């Protein structure tokens, strides 16, 4: 790998360094000093390296690594990475420079923004454009263009980067910094707004193969089944708002808001009631008083409900020791973890990723764990075993037929479009109509790929595997008015 050093602000090439230690100027980890870091929370890329040189090259390398200059390189996925050098420790006696760089750059890190209160509900693009003014960054992909919220920040002297990350958090979005590069010059700087970074890689990591171990950590120290929420104090009032007197009924019937403002979970209380007498489980709630910054009862309820849902059960986390990290894994991707001996099956997102180009090794921090069912219907296990024994092509018994049907027809008048497209797979005389059944027969890496072609388009376009219109891994596809432009053709394919 080669690092290209370019001068600020002209992008003139000053010099290069490579991972080959036979070159006169090279970079390495030097005990952990070289590596690229990315996270879902930040979205931007950080990089640090130790650059080695001969005594007669000291002045030249010092010019190359001067803070404010740029580093360009191709990352392990072949994409262009462009970063601004933020710090440099020049040690001519030892013959090396230690540098740090980030792709959010001084344009957003050094700029500070003031307190701000939106005069009305604004979109995420409105907020970000407001806080990146004159930085050269512009909105690229925006997956939530219509969602609007009224936000405010009281703190002052906050960096522009911290502010736009706060915006993303309050819109439940994730950001990606992207650059359009020509030669060694940056042509465009984009901030992509995503509902969720990454995708399901269909990658299965198994204990005793790609994983050394999975340690399960269970904690009930923060568990509660009832919450009394306190919000902000309105201007001109002497007391903070609560949920007392607020009228709300849970549409799912699980959570109950009492007249005194307490929000309860009777279902969780069936398991965690403090009472010794297990026949009287309508009381004995584990109560918690929680303070939020909400300024209305409606937003206070949402905050209290979110907190209760997260804390009405034991907090379970997992420590995963990964032996082999897949080469193409990216921040935000979902992987599947398997410990057959323990009967533990999980999915997890890559929340943080560190990669060393000099050693070609990486480490990942996983989170957002979900327990996956391993209880596969015995008839589908038997079907999978039977298909494995069959000879390919014999009497067509191994033929696979995928069918798509619409629950509400396929012709609609004017804009009255509302239907769900459903998938069924015929194989070996059986019908597979759920993702669980598909994986039982075709393996964990099997997936459905939907595609769409609108009027005037010559080719089909893939629908993202994480598209919110898809359910049960693509076996259900909800189609509405916004999804059809005059006439649209949908198709679905099975990959395994």
């Amino acid at each position: 790998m080669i690092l290209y050093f370019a001068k600020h602000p002209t992008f003139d090439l000053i010099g290069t360094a490579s991972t080959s230690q036979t070159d006169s100027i090279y970079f390495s980890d030097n005990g952990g000093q070289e590596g690229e870091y990315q996270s879902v929370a930040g979205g931007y890329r950080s990089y640090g390296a130790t650059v080695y040189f001969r005594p007669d090259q000291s002045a030249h390398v010092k010019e190359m690594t001067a803070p404010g200059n740029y580093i360009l390189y191709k990352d392990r996925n072949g994409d262009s990475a462009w970063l601004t050098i933020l710090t440099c420790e020049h040690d001519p006696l030892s013959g090396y420079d230690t540098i740090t760089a980030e792709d959010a750059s001084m344009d957003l890190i050094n700029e500070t923004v003031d307190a701000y209160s939106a005069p009305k509900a604004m979109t995420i693009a409105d907020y970000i454009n407001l806080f990146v003014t004159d930085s050269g960054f512009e909105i690229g992909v925006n997956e939530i263009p219509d969602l609007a919220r009224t936000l405010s920040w009281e703190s002052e002297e906050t960096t522009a980067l911290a502010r736009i990350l706060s915006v993303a958090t309050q819109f439940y979005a994730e950001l990606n910094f992207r650059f359009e590069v020509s030669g060694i010059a940056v042509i465009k700087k984009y901030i992509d707004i995503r509902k969720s970074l990454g995708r399901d890689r269909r990658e299965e990591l198994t204990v005793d193969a790609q994983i050394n171990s999975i340690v399960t950590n269970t904690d009930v120290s923060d568990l509660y089944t009832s919450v009394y929420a306190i919000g902000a104090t309105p201007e001109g009032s002497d007391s903070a708002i609560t949920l007392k007197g607020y009228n709300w009924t849970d549409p799912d019937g699980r959570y109950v808001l009492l007249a005194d403002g307490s929000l309860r979970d009777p279902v969780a209380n069936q398991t965690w009631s403090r009472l010794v007498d297990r026949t009287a489980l309508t009381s004995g709630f584990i109560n918690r008083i929680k303070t939020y910054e909400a300024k209305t009862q409606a937003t206070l309820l949402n905050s209290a409900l979110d907190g209760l849902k997260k804390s009405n059960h034991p907090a379970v986390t997992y420590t995963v020791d990964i032996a082999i990290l897949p080469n193409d894994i990216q921040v935000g991707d979902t992987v599947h973890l398997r410990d057959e001996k323990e009967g533990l099956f999980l999915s997890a997102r890559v929340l943080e990723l560190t990669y060393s180009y000099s050693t070609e090794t990486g480490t990942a921090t996983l989170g957002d764990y979900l327990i996956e069912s391993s209880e596969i219907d015995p008839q589908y296990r038997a079907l999978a075993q039977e298909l494995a024994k069959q000879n390919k092509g014999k009497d067509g018994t191994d033929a696979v037929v995928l069918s798509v049907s619409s629950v509400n027809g396929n012709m609609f008048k004017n804009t009255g479009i509302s239907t769900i497209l459903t998938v069924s797979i015929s194989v070996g005389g059986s019908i597979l109509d759920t993702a669980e059944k598909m994986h039982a027969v075709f393996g964990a890496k099997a997936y459905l790929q939907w595609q769409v072609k609108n009027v005037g388009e010559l080719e089909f376009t893939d629908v993202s595997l994480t598209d919110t219109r898809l359910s049960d891994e693509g076996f259900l596809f909800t189609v509405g008015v916004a999804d059809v432009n005059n006439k649209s053709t949908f198709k679905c394919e099975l990959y395994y």
Side-chain angles (χ1 to χ4, degrees), residues 161-351:
L161 176 61
R163 180 61 56 82
I164 66 173
L165 292 178
S166 174
V167 171
T169 298
Q170 296 186 69
F171 274 85
Y172 300 100
E174 294 173 352
L175 304 181
N176 176 59
F177 292 79
R178 178 170 53 90
F179 303 89
E180 183 180 332
V181 178
S182 176
I184 61 170
V186 172
I187 306 302
K188 290 283 188 179
K189 301 189 294 185
Y190 297 106
I191 299 176
D192 291 335
I193 303 167
R194 301 284 188 181
K195 294 178 181 178
S196 178
L197 293 175
R199 62 185 180 88
D200 192 335
R201 308 293 296 186
R202 308 289 174 179
E203 196 82 44
E204 188 171 288
L205 309 182
T206 305
V207 170
D208 294 333
Q210 298 86 2
I211 299 175
N212 292 323
S213 66
I214 301 177
V215 178
T216 304
N217 310 281
T218 307
D219 185 354
V220 296
S221 62
D222 196 41
L223 186 149
Y224 58 89
T225 56
S226 175
V227 59
Y228 187 84
I230 301 174
T233 301
E235 188 174 348
S237 174
D238 295 329
S239 58
I241 63 172
T242 68
L243 294 177
K244 185 176 181 179
Y246 187 65
N247 185 24
W248 175 79
T249 301
D250 182 11
D252 297 324
R254 171 164 178 167
Y255 299 93
V256 177
L257 180 61
L258 302 184
D260 67 356
S262 297
L263 181 64
R264 291 183 167 183
D265 181 358
V267 175
N269 193 56
Q270 297 293 308
T271 302
W272 300 102
S273 173
R274 294 177 295 157
L275 298 179
V276 176
D277 182 3
R278 307 304 295 174
T279 63
L281 294 179
T282 57
S283 57
F285 287 82
I286 301 175
N287 301 293
R288 185 68 59 88
I289 298 175
K290 301 283 287 186
T291 302
Y292 301 95
E293 296 181 357
K295 297 181 179 179
T296 67
Q297 286 186 305
T299 55
L300 181 60
L301 173 68
N302 289 334
S303 297
L305 187 59
D306 287 344
L308 183 55
K309 288 180 178 179
K310 292 177 182 177
S311 299
N312 60 5
H313 58 277
V316 180
T317 59
Y318 303 90
T319 303
V320 183
D321 182 2
I322 301 175
I324 303 174
L325 184 68
N327 289 330
D328 59 348
I329 206 74
Q330 298 183 42
V331 164
D333 285 351
T334 296
V335 295
H336 301 269
L337 314 175
R338 301 288 182 264
D339 188 342
E340 297 284 353
K341 295 178 182 178
E342 291 291 319
L344 182 62
F345 303 88
L346 304 168
S347 67
R349 284 189 78 200
V350 178
L351 301 184

